Amino acid sequence: KEKKEKKEKKAKKEKSDQDQDLEDPAPEASPGAEDADNASSVKLSSPVPAADKNKPCKGNRDGVTRLFLGNLPFKVDEETLKSHLPGTLTHVKWITDKETGRFYGSAFVEMLNSVDAASAVGIAGSELMGRALKINFAPAREGDVWPPVKSSTTGGQAGSNSRKTMSEKPENCTKLFIGNLSYDIDDDGIYKFFENVDAEVKAVRWLHHKDSGDF
């Protein structure tokens, strides 16, 4: 009798285990090393998320997206600049004289991400409207409002209506500002130029950009 009861209990247990297997199928096997590698490569080829805007990349290890552009043509405008630079340009700040509004031929620009910024720096020296561009990384300083609220600020292109007329010459003023100089100019070049109009130059002070140090 005891053997019969044990046999019945064993049969019930086996049936219960079979029913459980039917209700809870075994989980699928995890992918092997090859499958895992394929998944990783798909992820890397997807578009860079907004969170990775300043992610370090080849040619831009600090992930900078703000650039300084120098030796710009005086007739340049935002659309011309966008067409020339690789990547996506999102903001432009033209650098102008505070008093006269004259365009200095330089600007700060913001690129969409670090990769686009590196691509733009990569074409430094390329010609735009006959002028070789200077393009450098220019990280914003602490406290700077950057990027600017507007996509394009401070006017800036030659012929802009935003230019102010020059003020009258101050009494006894003997100092002149000279812009759009060649990058190869030196003191002798300035002296010789003014000799043509019988003007004597007492001294020359060269101006350099406070952020980049560029002439």
Side-chain angles (χ1 to χ4, degrees):
K1 185 178 179 180
E2 290 179 358
K3 287 182 179 181
K4 184 178 179 181
E5 289 176 353
K6 287 181 179 180
K7 189 178 288 187
E8 288 176 352
K9 287 181 179 180
K10 184 177 181 181
K12 288 180 179 180
K13 185 177 185 306
E14 289 175 351
K15 186 176 183 305
S16 175
D17 291 340
Q18 290 174 357
D19 292 340
Q20 184 67 29
D21 288 341
L22 290 174
E23 291 174 4
D24 300 318
E28 295 180 4
S30 59
E34 183 177 351
D35 291 336
D37 288 343
N38 289 338
S40 176
S41 65
V42 170
K43 184 176 181 181
L44 290 173
S45 64
S46 60
V48 179
D52 291 337
K53 173 181 173 68
N54 297 105
K55 186 175 181 179
C57 64
K58 184 177 180 180
N60 189 359
R61 63 183 181 181
D62 294 323
V64 177
T65 53
R66 182 178 186 255
L67 307 177
F68 170 78
L69 275 59
N71 202 31
L72 290 168
F74 284 87
K75 292 185 178 180
V76 72
D77 57 24
E78 188 174 354
E79 290 307 315
T80 305
L81 209 52
K82 284 182 176 180
S83 298
H84 184 76
L85 295 176
T88 302
L89 184 152
T90 61
H91 296 78
V92 181
K93 183 175 181 180
W94 307 105
I95 302 177
T96 59
D97 185 87
K98 292 181 180 179
E99 295 297 325
T100 66
R102 286 179 177 271
F103 178 43
Y104 278 154
S106 52
F108 287 107
V109 302
E110 177 72 7
M111 302 302 290
L112 182 64
N113 52 47
S114 55
V115 175
D116 286 359
S119 298
V121 171
I123 66 163
S126 62
E127 288 197 359
L128 176 61
M129 300 169 70
R131 305 196 65 164
L133 298 184
K134 302 192 78 174
I135 309 176
N136 300 319
F137 292 113
R141 296 171 302 177
E142 186 176 352
D144 283 352
V145 178
W146 189 265
V149 177
K150 297 180 181 179
S151 62
S152 181
T153 62
T154 323
Q157 63 273 27
S160 169
N161 293 329
S162 64
R163 286 189 174 190
K164 301 176 183 177
T165 57
M166 292 187 66
S167 59
E168 293 184 6
K169 175 182 174 295
E171 187 177 356
N172 299 322
C173 177
T174 58
K175 184 190 296 183
L176 299 177
F177 169 79
I178 311 171
N180 201 27
L181 292 169
S182 165
Y183 284 103
D184 296 325
I185 193 68
D186 55 17
D187 287 19
D188 288 339
I190 295 291
Y191 292 138
K192 289 178 181 178
F193 176 81
F194 281 96
E195 284 177 0
N196 295 326
V197 291
D198 295 325
E200 182 183 358
V201 177
K202 294 292 186 180
V204 178
R205 181 167 69 91
W206 303 104
L207 302 181
H208 296 83
H209 196 275
K210 62 181 180 181
D211 289 327
S212 65
D214 289 331
F215 169 54

